[in-house]
Every structure is written in structure tokens, then in C-alpha cells.
């Protein structure tokens, strides 16, 4: 699985608009990262996804959190036990 995850991270970074990608487990431990997102962001990313899920009534729904700034966006979403964050530059 590790090599598959590493390949997905590399493939995601090939998009010119993406400057960072991070995958964490439910405790915020880094499973893999590239670019502007690193180990230090894992806990925050994990907590953001959990808090967003707590706002949704349907437990099978997985919300996407979008942090917007003038320089770009960070999208955060959980997929099962994995949380993914993607940092995209503004277009």
C-alpha cells in the first residue's frame, strides 16, 4: 500500500495548480506528504475533517473543508480512515 500511496501523492503533485498534498490517519499521523504540506500539518488537518463531519447529520456523508486565502486554497476531506489535504494555488 505504501508504494501505491506514494505514487498517488506524486501523481497529484503533477497537477500544476497543486503545491502540496498530505495524507493522515485518524490520529493525525502523517502517512505521506509532498510540497507545502508536511508532518506539522497532520494534526490540524485531521481535526478539521473530524469537526466538519460532526456538523453533518448523515454519518455516511463526508464533507469537504475549503480554507480559502488570496494565495490559494487547502481542501480537506476524509475517506474512511484516511484524511487528505490538497493545497492549490489561486488561478
Amino acid at each position: 500500500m505504501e508504494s501505491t500511496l506514494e505514487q498517488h501523492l506524486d501523481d497529484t503533485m503533477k497537477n500544476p495548480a497543486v503545491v502540496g498534498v498530505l495524507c493522515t490517519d485518524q490520529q493525525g499521523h502523517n502517512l505521506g506528504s509532498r510540497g507545502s504540506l508536511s508532518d506539522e500539518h497532520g494534526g490540524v488537518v485531521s481535526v478539521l475533517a473530524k469537526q466538519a463531519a460532526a456538523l453533518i447529520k448523515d454519518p455516511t456523508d463526508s464533507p469537504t473543508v475549503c480554507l480559502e486565502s488570496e494565495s490559494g486554497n487547502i481542501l480537506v476531506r476524509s475517506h474512511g480512515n484516511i484524511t487528505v489535504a490538497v493545497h492549490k494555488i489561486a488561478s
Side-chain angles (χ1 to χ4, degrees):
M1 176 181 140
E2 188 173 317
S3 63
T4 302
L5 175 60
E6 297 294 324
Q7 185 61 50
H8 283 298
L9 294 171
D10 292 337
D11 290 345
T12 301
M13 289 298 293
K14 289 178 183 176
N15 182 323
V18 174
V19 294
V21 62
L22 169 69
C23 292
T24 71
D25 65 11
Q26 291 179 321
Q27 289 77 38
H29 298 121
N30 186 1
L31 300 175
S33 62
R34 298 285 186 277
S36 63
L37 298 175
S38 64
D39 288 350
E40 67 184 272
H41 303 108
V44 173
V45 164
S46 179
V47 169
L48 279 172
K50 285 179 189 175
Q51 293 298 317
L55 295 173
I56 304 298
K57 292 181 181 179
D58 182 359
T60 62
D61 195 10
S62 180
T64 300
V65 177
C66 181
L67 304 171
E68 298 181 357
S69 71
E70 290 186 22
S71 61
N73 299 330
I74 298 176
L75 304 167
V76 178
R77 185 174 182 142
S78 288
H79 301 273
N81 295 328
I82 296 175
T83 300
V84 178
V86 177
H87 185 190
K88 298 177 80 173
I89 56 173
S91 53

